[in-house]
Each structure stands twice: as C-alpha cells, then as structure tokens.
Amino acid sequence: MTKKIRGRLAPSPTGFLHIGNLRTALFGYLTIKSMGGDYILRIEDTDDKRFVPGAIEKLVDVLEWSGIKFDESPLLSGPYAPYVQSERKEIYKKHIDELLQKDGAYHCFCSSERLDKMREEQQANKKPPRYDRQCRNLNPEEVSKKIASGEPFVIRQKMPLDGEVKCFDELRGEITVNAQELDDHVLIKSNGMPTYQFANIVDDHLMEITHVTRGEEWIPSFPKNVLLYTAFGWDVPKFIHLPVVLNKEGGGKLSKRQGDVSVEEFREKGYLSDALINFIVLLGWHPEGDDEILSMEELIKKFDHKKISSSPAVFDVEKLNYFNGYYIRRMDLDKLTEMAMPYLKENVDKTSDTRKKSPDFIKQAVKIEQERLKKLSDIKEYTEFLFLDKLEYPKEMLIWKKQEAGDCKYNLITIRNILEKIASEEWTKENIENKILQYLNDNALKAGDFLWPTRVALTGKQQSPGPFDVAFVLGREESLEKIQIAIDALNVL
Ligand code: GLU
C-alpha cells in the first residue's frame, strides 16, 4: 500500500508570520495538495523564550486569510495530537531514552564556561566551532553517578567519526558531506527540553510526514537529521529545501523578525490575499507557459515541487504592487467598495455633506480610483479631495506648462461656461466629456491647456483621475463652485 502523502508547516509561535514563512507555508501546501495529500500545522515552541500568547490563533487566522487551510492543527486536532511540541515532552523523553539505548546519543556534562573557553580557542585558531567530544566516551557507571548527584547535562547526537554521509534533496540531488565535519550537536537541552534538531525529526516520523519542505538555511543540519532517522531505524522522508528570498535593495536575506515584512502588515495595508499568494508563488517557482496570473485552485493543479528553483528568489515589492493593482482592477465594484470602506471611513466621517456619505457617492468615488489603486489603503489618500469642503493647493499648480496665468484663467472661464450649459439631469461623465472635447476640437485648442487647470481646480492635486470623472462624481454645483474658486484665485496672481 502506498503511504498517504503528508506535509507540515512547523513554525515557532513568534506572534506574526514573516513573509518568507508564508512562502514556506505556501510551497509546502502546494507540494502536498498537488499530490492530494494532507497538510498539517505543528507548533514548535520548545524554545520557551519565543512564546507569545494568542500566537497560534493569530497564525492560523492569517494563514487562512491567505488561503492555506490545514487538515490537522492544534485548533482542529487530529489523529496525531498533540500538535504543540511543549505538550509532547513525554514523547521526546521516551524517544531519547530509546536513542541512548541504541548508542545514537550520549550525556554531556561540560559546563558552559568550559564550552565558551573551547569555542574562543577554536575561534582564535580559525577552527570551526565544534564540541570536542570530551564526554562521548564516559563509561555508563560514571554517567549514572553524575546524573544521580544532580549534575546538569545535555544529550548530544553521536555522529560517525569518519566516512561520508549522503543525503538526498529533491531539488539539489545528492548532497555528500565528510562525517568529520559534523558536530555532535545537542538534542536535549539542560532544562530537559528537546532542540529543534530532535523534536522536529521525532515528530515528523510519528506524524508520518512524507515530504519535508523547509528553508535552505537548514541544509547544514540535513546530514545530521538523516543520521538521526537512521539511528532510530526510521525511513527518511523526502526533503525539499526552498531557496532563500533576498531583499531587492542590497540583496541581503529578507530578515526574519522584521515586523515590516510580516504578512499581517501586508494585509493591513490592503494587499489582496490572491495577489499576495500569486506573487509569493513566483518566488522560486514558475508555471509552464506565459500566464503568471493563477488562483490557488489553478496553482494546486499546476504546481510541481520538482520544478522549484534552487537559486535565490528576489522579493520585489514593485512586482507585488503590480499584481495587487491587477487584481484590484479585476474586482467587482461592490466588493471593492466593501473592502475599501475601512480605509475610506475617515474621509467619509470628515465631511458634513450627507450626499457624500451615501453608498452611491462612495461607490462612485471608489470607481474612479479603481484603475490607479495599488493597494486598498491608497484609497484614503486618493479620494480625500472628494470629501473636502475646501481644497488647499498652490494657485500656481493650476497653470499648465508655460501657460500665462491670464490664459489659464480665461480657459477655466471657458470650461465653466460650457459646464453651466449642462443641466443637472444631463450631468453624466459622457456629456461632460463630449461637450468639452467638442468645443476644444471645433476651435482647434490644445487639450492640456484646458483639462489640466480644470482637473487641478476640481482635485487640488498633481495626480488624480481625469477631470470628466471627477466633475461627474462631484456633481454640477460643486464642480462649478470649485472652478469659480480657481478663477478667483488666478485674479490675484
Ligand atoms: N521550527 C522551524 C522554523 O520555524 C521549522 C523548520 C522546518 O520546517 O523544519 O524554522
């Protein structure tokens, strides 16, 4: 019988999800789901210092928002519970005893002073930091005596002293290391808690994980992990080490704990989960063919973990903005308005004009900005002018290129006269546009000389949607009023 495909995300509960961890989560999820398997969440909290209350709920919430759903987790539970490592201490105890019995590990009683001194010397001699194995050959009686007398100890993994260790990464193929390069690293700390290197392997085995997807920063541990599986006599799962994600600026690694690269932050700024996922999946993978726009469903169908690249991926926020803008443009207006509302609320609250508080006005405001939005939070700044009673802008902004102030004023008067002739009932974007363009056309006038000052008079901004859209949304009265204010301002220039 073939084994059920199973993968896991194994984060520490640090309180937020780093964007690089979302990439790990997504690649793990797609690897497993593309093969019809189960994806589970296991919390690795054996490092007490890093625990943050409420972190698991927050983590699950943001992952679900992204579209990553688990089949088993600490919240859902499942047949391999518990899914939180701090609740599995008994399991680790039992397994370390078994490993000691099998001669795969040993007690080490070296004091931290001794270890520090040893490391300093190694550093001074330009040697790699490595435990000198002083306790590796203590006899069993000595060990029992020390334990009985309460001497603190750690338990270390016994690495082979020579020969080669081979391990196989699904993307890189065979990786061979010389056993002499391997440190007898710690499996159980002096407080009795397991390290990542122990708990992770025991759990992956007991939870019947078939595919391990993790960052390539774990490659140095890989041979040691494989040796641990072998020491227990367990099968080694398939390993897929994901390429690092680099910062575009400076090319360094995207830092692990920076709050500004947390998924929560992207969500708050108004990035759409579909756009974020689409962008993230391209950090190390590319679909066949040119179509890069893919939904989670399509990704599950198309993803092939064997095609993940092993070279570094670059995180380019401009590309993310491009994707997000693309997804925003394709959104249904009602849905976009609903999602934009939290960001718009402050503008709506500020105006005393009840017409501008109406759902219809708000929807029109969103509609004329839909094209320009890169993220939902942009909507606040972009639409603010529509809700202000009085616009503040330097009068000089009204003047297009080398225009004379007098000409600019004259042109605004012309526009005002055209608009005045459009009755309230006929105040549509098309009418406004047709009437103005017709006039400019008939008189062979340059559009910029007229449309620029009109747009600035209506928005007070260097950049905004076009004047016809804005005039339509503001309505006849307010548009005429704002143009008049601009005409008056030009009088004093
Ligand atoms: N707890 C590890 C981390 O947060 C998990 C690595 C792995 O997936 O094995 O980096």
Side-chain angles (χ1 to χ4, degrees):
M1 201 184 87
T2 48
K3 266 200 197 162
K4 171 94 182 156
I5 303 281
R6 288 171 59 83
R8 86 310 190 258
L9 180 69
S12 330
T14 49
F16 70 87
L17 186 67
H18 180 268
I19 199 85
N21 291 346
L22 177 61
R23 202 277 306 257
T24 307
L26 178 64
F27 278 38
Y29 180 73
L30 293 174
T31 298
I32 298 304
K33 290 295 161 188
S34 61
M35 295 187 283
D38 286 346
Y39 196 52
I40 73 167
L41 175 67
R42 180 179 70 233
I43 300 296
E44 302 209 326
D45 61 344
T46 56
D47 187 354
D48 299 336
K49 286 188 298 282
R50 285 162 77 187
F51 191 78
V52 178
I56 301 178
E57 287 75 7
K58 271 177 66 181
L59 184 75
V60 169
D61 176 60
V62 74
L63 284 162
E64 281 192 356
W65 170 81
S66 320
I68 295 175
K69 297 192 174 51
F70 295 101
D71 298 291
E72 296 157 32
S73 76
L75 306 184
L76 294 170
S77 198
Y80 300 83
Y83 292 91
V84 176
Q85 288 188 329
S86 57
E87 294 167 22
R88 298 173 64 83
K89 284 183 210 159
E90 283 309 308
I91 298 173
Y92 307 127
K93 169 86 184 66
K94 180 173 157 263
H95 282 87
I96 198 67
D97 288 347
E98 184 185 330
L99 191 68
L100 286 163
Q101 287 257 306
K102 290 182 162 162
D103 201 27
Y106 62 93
H107 292 85
C108 166
F109 299 91
C110 290
S111 66
S112 46
E113 291 76 28
R114 175 170 189 274
L115 296 175
D116 287 346
K117 199 159 154 262
M118 187 185 77
R119 247 172 247 125
E120 272 166 33
E121 277 169 19
Q122 286 167 339
Q123 236 173 14
N125 295 326
K126 305 222 166 357
K127 292 237 170 77
R130 206 166 287 163
Y131 177 55
D132 64 1
R133 295 171 168 157
Q134 175 169 277
C135 294
R136 185 163 160 140
N137 298 314
L138 291 177
N139 68 47
E141 292 75 43
E142 244 176 306
V143 171
S144 307
K145 238 170 64 198
K146 280 176 184 284
I147 296 174
S149 72
E151 254 192 67
F153 63 84
V154 299
I155 300 178
R156 295 181 180 274
Q157 189 177 341
K158 213 173 212 180
M159 301 298 167
L161 298 175
D162 46 40
E164 280 183 340
V165 182
K166 289 189 192 308
C167 37
F168 191 84
D169 173 78
E170 295 297 303
L171 308 178
R172 296 161 185 79
E174 192 166 82
I175 299 174
T176 306
V177 291
N178 192 331
Q180 281 170 5
E181 286 168 26
L182 303 176
D183 188 20
D184 285 358
H185 65 179
V186 175
L187 300 179
I188 301 288
K189 295 181 269 188
S190 57
N191 63 3
M193 288 295 254
T195 56
Y196 162 80
Q197 307 288 358
F198 187 64
N200 182 274
I201 272 61
V202 169
D203 286 346
D204 280 353
H205 170 72
L206 295 179
M207 294 182 177
E208 300 194 54
I209 298 305
T210 55
H211 292 71
V212 173
T213 39
R214 61 179 187 179
E216 74 174 14
E217 68 271 22
W218 296 108
I219 289 183
S221 317
F222 188 24
K224 298 184 256 189
N225 302 148
V226 168
L227 286 167
L228 192 56
Y229 279 101
T230 319
F232 273 113
W234 295 338
D235 287 345
V236 182
K238 289 193 186 325
F239 275 81
I240 300 152
H241 287 97
L242 306 170
V244 282
V245 181
L246 301 176
N247 233 321
K248 194 168 179 225
E249 305 78 38
K253 197 177 158 199
L254 268 189
S255 121
K256 249 212 147 144
R257 284 163 209 229
Q258 267 169 295
D260 62 347
V261 286
S262 75
V263 179
E264 290 83 351
E265 191 120 337
F266 283 103
R267 180 183 181 178
E268 269 161 36
K269 282 186 187 152
Y271 285 94
L272 306 179
S273 56
D274 290 348
L276 189 61
I277 287 297
N278 201 157
F279 164 75
I280 296 269
V281 81
L282 299 173
L283 296 175
W285 179 81
H286 206 275
E288 272 174 25
D290 289 337
D291 193 7
E292 284 194 333
I293 303 290
L294 296 164
S295 68
M296 188 70 102
E297 247 174 38
E298 291 166 321
L299 286 173
I300 291 174
K301 280 197 201 116
K302 296 196 168 175
F303 194 80
D304 176 359
H305 65 273
K306 296 209 175 74
K307 302 268 165 63
I308 298 171
S309 155
S310 59
S311 31
V314 177
F315 186 94
D316 179 358
V317 81
E318 284 308 318
K319 187 162 178 187
L320 171 60
N321 288 340
Y322 167 80
F323 272 93
N324 208 50
Y326 181 87
Y327 274 84
I328 289 178
R329 289 196 293 283
R330 292 205 312 182
M331 266 177 99
D332 165 72
L333 182 59
D334 284 322
K335 178 88 188 128
L336 177 61
T337 309
E338 186 192 317
M339 287 184 73
M341 207 45 212
Y343 302 96
L344 266 171
K345 202 177 165 304
E346 218 180 302
N347 292 343
V348 179
D349 287 348
K350 252 194 273 177
T351 178
S352 50
D353 187 339
T354 47
R355 179 181 68 104
K356 294 190 176 177
K357 292 183 189 287
S358 73
D360 191 48
F361 183 86
I362 295 169
K363 197 163 138 182
Q364 292 306 325
V366 173
K367 185 179 176 195
I368 62 171
E369 294 291 357
Q370 185 164 8
E371 278 293 306
R372 297 200 311 140
L373 289 177
K374 290 281 183 285
K375 43 193 188 302
L376 298 178
S377 57
D378 294 339
I379 195 89
K380 179 184 177 301
E381 190 197 320
Y382 285 12
T383 60
E384 194 182 21
F385 74 90
L386 290 170
F387 295 89
L388 294 176
D389 294 335
K390 194 169 178 295
L391 301 176
E392 304 278 353
Y393 57 91
K395 317 295 168 246
E396 295 74 15
M397 202 200 277
L398 289 161
I399 296 166
W400 173 246
K401 292 192 175 161
K402 293 194 183 107
Q403 217 178 13
E404 293 290 328
D407 291 343
C408 180
K409 182 181 143 194
Y410 178 79
N411 293 355
L412 278 175
I413 293 172
T414 307
I415 295 289
R416 183 196 64 196
N417 294 343
I418 298 170
L419 294 180
E420 261 176 350
K421 290 198 196 89
I422 306 176
S424 295
E425 316 79 71
E426 285 162 10
W427 192 263
T428 62
K429 184 198 159 190
E430 291 67 33
N431 269 343
I432 300 165
E433 182 166 356
N434 291 342
K435 291 268 163 17
I436 293 179
L437 293 185
Q438 174 108 51
Y439 179 88
L440 299 181
N441 220 4
D442 291 350
N443 297 284
L445 296 165
K446 274 199 258 156
D449 292 341
F450 289 78
L451 300 186
W452 174 271
T454 307
R455 200 188 52 73
V456 173
L458 296 174
T459 65
K461 289 163 74 105
Q462 290 278 3
Q463 278 166 3
S464 73
F468 313 126
D469 275 321
V470 178
F472 166 66
V473 175
L474 286 177
R476 184 175 185 275
E477 298 314 311
E478 189 170 336
S479 299
L480 289 171
E481 200 182 296
K482 291 213 151 111
I483 292 172
Q484 190 58 50
I485 291 172
I487 295 168
D488 295 343
L490 290 168
N491 277 337
V492 292
L493 268 184

